[in-house]
Structure formats: C-alpha cells, structure tokens
Amino acid sequence: MVRAATPGEVKTYGSEVRRRGFQRHPVVHSCIRVITDIVSSVPLVVHRERGNADSRVPEDHPLQKLLDYPAPRITARQLRARFCVDFLGYGNSLWHSLRLSKFGLPVNLRPINAEAIQNVWVDNEGDAARYQFSDWNGVVQTAEAKDVIHFRDLEMPRPYYPDVFGYPRGAAALESIVTDMEASSYTRQVVKNDGTPTLAVMLEDGRDQEDADVMKARYRERVVKRGMRGDPAFWAGVKDVKSLGFNLTDLEFPDLRRVNREDICSAFGVDPRIIGIGTASSDGGLSGVQYQEARRRLVQMQVEPILVVLCDDLNAWLAPEFGDLWIEPDHDILRDLIEDDEETSVRVDREVKGGLRTWEEGRRALKLPERPAPKETLVVSIGTSLVPVATALSPEPPAVTPTPATPPGSPAAQAAEGEGEGEGASRSMPSEGVSLDKTASPAPPLDPRYVRWRAQNDTLDADEKEYVVAARVRFLEERRRIVRIFELAAEGQVTEPAKKRVAKGADKVPGWADPILEEAVRRALREYAKGGDLWLGWVETFRALVTRTYGAGALDAMSGVKAGGTGLNFQLSSPDVQKAIEDRLETLATLITKDTARQVTAAVRAGEVAGLNIAEIASLIRTSVYGDPMTENRAKTIARTESAGAFSRGAWDQAKRAGIFQSKEWLAFENSKTRTTHSACMAEGRIPIDQPFAANGLLYPLDPAGPADEVINCRCTLVYYDEPIGEPPNADA
C-alpha cells in the first residue's frame, strides 16, 4: 500500500503545496493559467487510423460523444482544464470513468483532485491496482485501476519504490518562491537598517546635548508617534542632515524580485513577458510580433508535449474499450491558436495547390462548409454574371462541346462525371472547379432527370453518415455482449441449466462436444433471434432514421405534383405508413442478425476444430466477426443500402397511394461501377407503373423482392409520370 505522496525534498504531500503558497502565488498561478487556457481550447478528436485526418469518426460516435460531453455539468473544456492544472501543479491528474454496469462502456468522465487520493494499492510489478479517494462530501470511495485514468508527469526513478506518482514540474518553482520570500525579508531588514539610525542631525554651535535630547523627543512625538513617517521635518538651528541608512531608491530589490519571477516562469517554460513581467534587463514588454513568437514557442515547447501525454494515456486506457481507435488533438485548432487568419489562408491555399489537401479538406480547415450549397451563386467573369454553384462546379467544363453521339444532358454525356451507384463511387466535387474563359461557349443545360437524381443522392449522402454511425454503435454493443457470453462460459458461469435448453427450430444446435460451449452458442443465438435483445436493438436504433428517410422519399415522389389528386396529403402517422416502416425495420434487423449469427457460429466451429478453449474462441469472435475492418465495411454497406432502400420504398408507396401516376422511368447515371442490368432498365425508358422492369424484374430500385446482387449499394431512382405511355411527359412531373 502506497500513501498518496509525491516524492522529493521540496514537497511531500499535495496539501503542503497550498500551505506554502504555491497555488496562490501570482506568478505560479499565471504560468499555469496561460498554459491551461491553450490546452483546454484544443478539442480531442477520434480517428480510426492514427495520423490520418480523413479517418475521423462522426460527432455522434460513442467515444467522440464521451470526450465532447464527459459528464453532466462538466464541459469538455473544463475537463481538459482540470487535467492541465492538476498535471502542472501536482504532477498527477486523475479521471474517474463511470459505467452503467460492471462490464459496460464508460459513459461519464469526472476529474479526481490529487489531494483527494487517500491510498493506492499496487501489485507486484509496482503498478496501481486500486485507488481510494474521497468525494466532495468526504465519503471515501474505491475504484479499480481500469476505472481510473492516471496522467503522471516525469519523476526521477528510485529503486524499491513503485512507479505510481509523477513529480510536479511546478515544485521546481518552490525554491524560487522561498528565495522571493527571503528577498522580501532581507528588504525589510535593510529598511530597518538593523537598528542603524536613519538620520544624523548636526546642531549649530552653542547647542548642547540637552538641546539635542529635547529636539529628538519633539521629533519622535511629531513624526513617529503621530504616524507621520516620511514627512520632512525642519527645526530652527539645524545646520545639516546626513543620511546614514539606505532608502528604497538605493535598493536593488525590484530587480531581485524580477530575477526570482523569471526562475518561476522558467520552471513552466513561459516567457515572463507573456504574463506581464518585465525581465531583469531593460526589456519590459513584448511587441505584437514578439508576443506571437513567444506564444508559438509556448505551444511548441509546452502545450503540444502536454497534449501528447494526455492523448497517449487516453489511447492506452480509454480508446481500446471502443475498438481500434486513436485520440488526437485537433491540429487545425492548435494551428489557429498561433496563426492569424491571413497566415492560415495562405498556408491552406498552398497545401491545396500542392496536393497535400483536397479541396474539401481545405474548406474545412478555413472553417467553411465542405461543399457550397447548390442553390448559392458564384461571381463568374462571363460578362459579370452570377452562375449557380451546382453549374459552376460541375465536373464537365463548359468549354467542352459533346459530340453528336452524346447530346448535352444525355445520360451518356453525364456518365463522364464519375457518378455511380456502387460502393466507393465518386461523389466528390473537383478541386479546381471549371475553366471559365470569356471566349468559351456557355455550359450546356443539365438533363432535368440528372438534376433530380443528383438531388436525391445528395440527400442520401447526408443521411448515410448517420446510418453508418448507428450501425457502428450496434456492432460495438453486439461485440460487448456476445464476447461476454463466451467469457462467462470460459469462467464456468452457465446461466441456465441444461434441462431448460430448447432443442428445436432456430435454437437447435446439434453436434457440440462441449456442453458449456453449446450453452454459450444457444445464448448467443437467442440474442440474435427475432425478438431477441440484439434483434430489437437494430429495430429501435434505426427506427427514427428509417422513418425520416421513408418520409423524405414519399415527399420526393410528390415533388412538382399539383394539388388535386388522391393521397397527396402524406401522413407518417397513418397506419399503412407505420406498417410499411415496421416491415422495413424487421427485414433489416432479421437480415443483419441472421448473417452475424451465421458468422459467430462459423467462428465457434472453426475454433473448436482448431482445439481452442472457450476463452480463445471468445477472442476469435472479437477479431474475426467484430474486428474493425469487417464491421466498418458492413456498416457502410448497411448504411448505403438501407438509406437508399427506405427512400425508394417511401417514394414507391406514396406514388401508388396517390393514384395519379401511370408510368415510371428508371434513372441510373452510370459509371464503371453501375450494374449492367440497371443501365438496361434506364434504356427501357418509360413503362407502365405496375409493370416490372424487364432487365431485372424489379418494380422499383432496391425492391426487397429482388436478389441481393440487384439491390445492395444501389443508388438508382425512379421518375413518376401522371401521363400514360405514348404521351409526352408533363413538365411538372
């Protein structure tokens, strides 16, 4: 058992630092404050690949949300500030991670004051195993080491002493504070002159000692006793006054104090002039350029190393619980603190032109939206006109005239734009825009069908990100619960006796040699079965997303239709709409859980054949079924398919419900990833609304009745017409 002490001769316990005036000393407080202000201003972001800015997780990822909203009434900035103050002042900063259950993920992060630590238990290796600390009410609590994130500053290693606590860099400033106090004491002694008379009064001739005593008594009465120290005194008969002691103008005490303050600032790596302390030389302040340079050095020498310590410990103790993730400071925000707007703009512009950043990354670095809204306008030097963003940033240069075989606005002409439906299809905008030469011909008009298809895909792109996050959350929860089932089985904890096992239907798992392993498989399959907790988790997690996307598809099908038809008033609350949404959710949950259950069973079978024990099989499930590469790819596929599927189903249901549409047309503006059958569907042109497309037999894109190879990752759409075949389409359709 180790007492919560910080080793060293200057400081033994954290409370002694306060008693010696460490925290209240204005220079120490200012140094800690200036570093803390910068550290707390830099957000922490989560990446899937270390050092890869493109792999940043969404804002609603569980780990990112925990860092952004650590606990009720504690903001992320306050938590980072508490870390920095304790780290600099005590050499030890501690966070307590709270969980809803013993094996659940952390849901709150709360700081623990260094002085609140009572005892720490260590193992044979000298590492902390359990912490004991008191809360604000004085109640002593105990937490396992896995629930306490301990940030430690450097300490000189000592033999036979556990490496639990760090040594505060601020303690090095204590000697300077003591010296400062000694200087003040010395100054008081000098002012008092150690009893030496301050003045010698020379009397004129003819005055004796009795006269001198009378004058001394009068001086003491008027000057000393009446509190008139410092006022000049004049007497008749005084010939001269000689000063014997030092006065304040003769002392070097102000310079002496500046030297000690510089020592304190040096212990923290802070330029004393940043906090308003003039140096012992004649330089008393910083100009604008000097201040910027001093701030830049402070960030490079102090702030960035402290952020590295913060992120390293979080990556060792917190991030692994959420998967293969990395926590890093937001480097763009860090640069903003030491650059002005002009420098940042010039730097980002050069990085984009040099190919170090994409066009979208450059806009994000300048705090601009990744893509301008298509309805906004750009000033283009073609007769000083305003051109829509969607047209000006079109990948097809206006100076290029399509050949007669590919008329302007046709699907073939727009196929060169790189749009596609397959996974990984390019949907980004060009980095350099278009060539806008005054002599070039104007851009050809876009096919209205392409504009409609592009608008739908922009909507789905935005929704897809939320679907991906939701799928990641579900896979994290599944991994935790399924792996825990097999871990408990490895420990011999079988929750149900063998006599209650159900050996029929989907729960039948014949041929297992180990009855404990068989029970674990049965428990896992019950979780995946329809109505099981994991099955219900997919339904409830995606309910709001599917409902919103389904409604957006229904409204999109009716866009441009004039009021007057039946079924034009779309209501999400209507029974038939709710039933359609529930059918979609149940299909989604069943397909996903059935596939995952199959993978888990296959992993268990493979582990049993390989002779692995149950604990090793649990690890195999974690890596082979729920490893980050697999779950990430599945999450993207699910998001892309389900977002487009809900949209397409909502549009189809509403089009049928409206009762005014008579024909439809398949839109697939293809690239190399587009399915041949989908291109053939578009080539069929308009067909009756109730007739399936001949190329693939589907009634509409992502028809659940179609095979998987016809619907997965599809981004096609339909255009509905209220005219029958043979009549020209209405412009409002």
Side-chain angles (χ1 to χ4, degrees), residues 641-665:
T641 303
E642 294 306 322
S643 61
F647 190 95
S648 186
R649 177 64 182 274
W652 172 257
D653 288 349
Q654 180 63 15
K656 293 292 293 180
R657 191 180 301 114
I660 62 174
F661 296 112
Q662 301 184 51
S663 59
K664 60 187 178 183
E665 182 179 10

Side-chain angles (χ1 to χ4, degrees), residues 61-105:
H61 187 279
L63 179 55
Q64 187 66 63
K65 289 184 67 175
L66 180 62
L67 295 176
D68 292 340
Y69 308 98
R73 297 180 297 278
I74 298 179
T75 66
R77 189 200 63 80
Q78 289 173 330
L79 185 65
R80 295 191 295 268
R82 284 291 301 273
F83 153 77
C84 192
V85 169
D86 289 348
F87 185 79
L88 294 174
Y90 296 105
N92 298 274
S93 179
L94 302 101
W95 291 356
H96 186 202
S97 59
L98 289 84
R99 309 168 189 269
L100 295 178
S101 62
K102 183 177 181 181
F103 300 104
L105 295 174

Side-chain angles (χ1 to χ4, degrees), residues 148-168:
V148 177
I149 307 174
H150 190 168
F151 309 92
R152 295 171 291 186
D153 209 345
L154 296 177
E155 179 206 354
M156 296 295 290
R158 296 181 294 164
Y160 315 115
Y161 197 90
D163 183 21
V164 176
F165 292 95
Y167 188 79

Side-chain angles (χ1 to χ4, degrees), residues 628-685:
D628 277 352
M630 285 71 71
T631 55
E632 181 65 17
N633 290 335
R634 288 189 69 192
K636 290 180 179 178
T637 301
I638 291 169
R640 191 166 182 81
T641 303
E642 294 306 322
S643 61
F647 190 95
S648 186
R649 177 64 182 274
W652 172 257
D653 288 349
Q654 180 63 15
K656 293 292 293 180
R657 191 180 301 114
I660 62 174
F661 296 112
Q662 301 184 51
S663 59
K664 60 187 178 183
E665 182 179 10
W666 189 293
L667 299 185
F669 289 89
E670 69 278 353
N671 64 3
S672 59
K673 293 181 178 293
T674 303
R675 297 171 175 86
T676 304
T677 53
H678 292 194
S679 299
C681 287
M682 185 171 180
E684 293 180 30

Side-chain angles (χ1 to χ4, degrees), residues 185-236:
S185 177
Y186 171 72
T187 302
R188 287 193 295 270
Q189 294 296 328
V190 170
V191 172
K192 292 180 179 179
N193 292 290
D194 295 325
T196 304
T198 56
L199 300 174
V201 180
M202 311 296 293
L203 301 182
E204 294 180 345
D205 297 338
R207 301 285 185 175
D208 54 18
Q209 186 60 40
E210 183 178 353
D211 294 334
D213 292 340
V214 172
M215 296 183 68
K216 180 179 179 181
R218 291 173 59 193
Y219 177 84
R220 291 177 61 83
E221 179 68 26
R222 295 179 57 187
V223 178
V224 179
K225 292 184 178 181
R226 297 181 183 179
M228 298 172 60
R229 300 177 182 86
D231 289 351
F234 299 91
W235 298 277

Side-chain angles (χ1 to χ4, degrees), residues 521-541:
V521 174
R522 290 179 181 277
R523 287 188 58 198
L525 293 182
R526 283 197 292 271
E527 296 275 349
Y528 289 119
K530 184 175 181 179
D533 288 345
L534 297 183
W535 187 89
L536 291 174
W538 284 97
V539 172
E540 295 304 321
T541 300

Side-chain angles (χ1 to χ4, degrees), residues 28 76 127 184 230 309 335 593 695:
V28 174
D127 297 324
S184 300
V309 173
R335 292 191 188 98
T593 53

Side-chain angles (χ1 to χ4, degrees), residues 44-78:
L44 301 178
V45 294
V46 182
H47 296 276
R48 297 194 175 277
E49 297 179 16
R50 193 167 194 173
N52 183 3
D54 292 336
S55 64
R56 182 169 175 176
V57 303
E59 293 181 357
D60 50 359
H61 187 279
L63 179 55
Q64 187 66 63
K65 289 184 67 175
L66 180 62
L67 295 176
D68 292 340
Y69 308 98
R73 297 180 297 278
I74 298 179
T75 66
R77 189 200 63 80
Q78 289 173 330

